[in-house]
Amino acid sequence: MRLRTEMPEIKGITEWVNGEVTNSDLAGQPVLVHFWSISCHMCKESLPELNRMREELPQLKLVGIHMPRSEKDTDVDAVKETIVKYELKHPQGIDNQHNVVDAFENEYVPAFYLFDKNGLLRHRSAGEKALSMLKKPLERVLGELE
């Protein structure tokens, strides 16, 4: 996905946990979509930071997309257990058919896609340093709300 591209439709999710969201639900506010997988150690390390962001930045809407990397990762109950274990209280889409993954052209976990209040992609990052790379773009996007 190229920067300044509109957010793809979030549809075709296998199952939602903590409430379903649509693009119209997210319109008019900054959104951070994070892709993760239960088999990804780095993903699990980033989840507490995402929880902190959810609590400290209520103006930012978080949406988690679970992206299976193997057949074992498609176990919906195992994904739900992980969501509970890591206290992920924001909407979590379990994307076993990779519908959202493909719409976002995402290949990696963890991966983060930051959209501004107009629904345009302002930053994307993936891998070990992805969260730290998100800090400055997030400040810019949130600063535009003032």
Side-chain angles (χ1 to χ4, degrees):
M1 261 185 86
R2 298 170 64 123
L3 293 178
R4 303 278 180 188
T5 303
E6 276 192 36
M7 185 187 318
E9 287 293 318
I10 298 177
K11 62 182 181 182
I13 289 293
T14 305
E15 188 169 336
W16 282 98
V17 179
N18 300 329
E20 182 175 346
V21 293
T22 64
N23 288 54
S24 59
D25 297 330
L26 301 170
Q29 52 203 338
V31 178
L32 179 63
V33 178
H34 67 97
F35 290 85
W36 65 284
S37 182
I38 57 173
S39 62
C40 168
H41 180 69
M42 275 190 299
C43 295
K44 291 175 183 171
E45 288 181 340
S46 69
L47 296 177
E49 177 67 16
L50 286 164
N51 285 338
R52 186 188 65 71
M53 287 171 65
R54 184 188 66 240
E55 298 301 320
E56 293 179 5
L57 303 170
Q59 67 274 40
L60 177 67
K61 292 297 176 191
L62 285 172
V63 179
I65 303 294
H66 181 268
M67 172 182 158
R69 301 189 306 164
S70 69
E71 189 65 34
K72 187 178 177 193
D73 287 353
T74 62
D75 180 344
V76 171
D77 289 333
V79 176
K80 287 179 176 180
E81 287 172 19
T82 303
I83 290 169
V84 170
K85 178 180 178 182
Y86 286 89
E87 301 177 355
L88 302 176
K89 296 181 175 128
H90 52 284
Q92 298 291 320
I94 301 172
D95 190 20
N96 281 354
Q97 279 75 49
H98 280 208
N99 293 318
V100 176
V101 170
D102 292 345
F104 277 71
E105 302 171 10
N106 183 53
E107 299 176 35
Y108 308 103
V109 288
F112 302 90
Y113 291 75
L114 177 63
F115 296 89
D116 63 20
K117 65 184 179 191
N118 299 313
L120 300 178
L121 180 65
R122 297 290 294 277
H123 175 81
R124 68 178 186 280
S125 56
E128 189 175 356
K129 304 277 188 222
L131 263 180
S132 61
M133 292 167 54
L134 180 64
K135 189 173 188 220
K136 289 263 187 252
L138 184 58
E139 288 172 2
R140 266 196 309 276
V141 166
L142 294 178
E144 292 170 3
L145 295 176
E146 297 170 1

